[in-house]
Amino acid sequence: MATTTSGASRHSLMDWSATQGGILTLNGTLESLYKPPLFPFDDTELPHYHKVRGSTRQAFAQWRAEGKSTPIVAGCWSRPLFVGGFKHSDASTERVFNLQTPSIFLDLRLPLDQDFTRHKGLSTMTSHELKLFARRHAFAGYSLVSGSSSSSNASDPPVATRHHAIDWNFVGKLRPRPNKWRIEMEG
C-alpha cells in the first residue's frame, strides 16, 4: 500500500472524511436521537434549507436588513480536538479554523499529510490526489443567533444556527438536523 512522506497510508488518508462524519453523527446514531419532541426544530433551521431552494441570497439579505446579527460570538479560533462516536481527530491529523463575524461564519477543516503545493491546478493531480482533495471540508454562510445574549439568563442561552451558503462537500442531500451550537457567556 502506498504511503506519503509522513508514513500515512492511502487508506488512512481516504478515511479521514469518514472519521469526521462518524464523530459528527455519533457513528450514524445521532439522527435517531436528535429529533422532536426531545429536540424540536423547524425545517427552515436546516443548514441547506435555503441552498436547495435557491433562496440563500434573499434570506441572508432579509436577515441582514432586519439586523439579525450579533457581535457576541465574533472571533477566530482553531479546534485542536474533535471527539464523538468513540472516535477523535486532533491537531496531529488536521488543521481546523473557524471565523465568525457578527453574521457570517467560515469553517475550514484540512487533513494533514496531504501536500498539494506542487500542483498548479486540478489538471496536474492524479485520480487518487483528486479524491483526497475532494475530501477536505469547508463551508460558510450566515449565523442566526436566538435566545438571550445575557449571561444572567441561563434558561434561554444564546444559540447560533448556521445556514450554509457555500459547502465544499454538499452533494444535494439535506442534513437531517440543524447545525446549532449553544453560546456560553461568562459573567
Side-chain angles (χ1 to χ4, degrees), residues 1-21 23 87-90 92-94 110-114 116 128 131-133 135-137:
M1 184 177 293
T3 60
T4 63
T5 55
S6 68
S9 71
R10 281 186 174 211
H11 178 73
S12 68
L13 293 175
M14 293 295 284
D15 198 42
W16 177 83
S17 188
T19 298
Q20 295 292 301
I23 293 169
K87 296 181 180 187
H88 84 281
S89 60
D90 59 38
S92 71
T93 60
E94 67 189 13
L110 303 172
L112 300 178
D113 293 327
Q114 297 182 15
F116 300 106
H128 178 71
K131 290 175 187 175
L132 290 176
F133 193 72
R135 280 171 168 70
R136 294 165 175 238
H137 293 203

Side-chain angles (χ1 to χ4, degrees), residues 6-166:
S6 68
S9 71
R10 281 186 174 211
H11 178 73
S12 68
L13 293 175
M14 293 295 284
D15 198 42
W16 177 83
S17 188
T19 298
Q20 295 292 301
I23 293 169
L24 184 64
T25 66
L26 196 60
N27 289 321
T29 61
L30 194 57
E31 277 76 26
S32 66
L33 302 172
Y34 194 97
K35 60 183 180 184
L38 187 56
F39 295 100
F41 64 86
D42 188 83
D43 285 351
T44 60
E45 295 178 288
L46 295 173
H48 303 106
Y49 178 85
H50 293 287
K51 185 171 183 55
V52 298
R53 285 165 180 75
S55 59
T56 300
R57 287 184 183 203
Q58 296 87 348
F60 286 15
Q62 180 181 344
W63 295 334
R64 188 73 173 148
E66 292 172 355
K68 292 187 175 180
S69 64
T70 178
I72 65 171
V73 292
C76 186
W77 62 93
S78 64
R79 183 186 68 208
L81 181 64
F82 190 31
V83 179
F86 301 103
K87 296 181 180 187
H88 84 281
S89 60
D90 59 38
S92 71
T93 60
E94 67 189 13
R95 292 291 180 262
V96 178
F97 303 97
N98 284 274
L99 173 66
Q100 178 66 58
T101 73
S103 58
I104 303 295
F105 76 89
L106 168 69
D107 192 317
L108 179 63
R109 305 171 189 185
L110 303 172
L112 300 178
D113 293 327
Q114 297 182 15
D115 183 9
F116 300 106
T117 57
R118 73 179 188 280
H119 296 287
K120 300 212 183 291
L122 299 176
S123 63
T124 62
M125 291 183 184
T126 67
S127 174
H128 178 71
E129 288 172 325
L130 285 168
K131 290 175 187 175
L132 290 176
F133 193 72
R135 280 171 168 70
R136 294 165 175 238
H137 293 203
F139 49 98
Y142 205 97
S143 293
L144 282 180
V145 177
S146 60
S148 173
S149 60
S150 166
S151 61
S152 62
N153 193 348
S155 65
D156 188 25
V159 174
T161 302
R162 287 177 160 184
H163 295 271
H164 300 200
I166 300 169

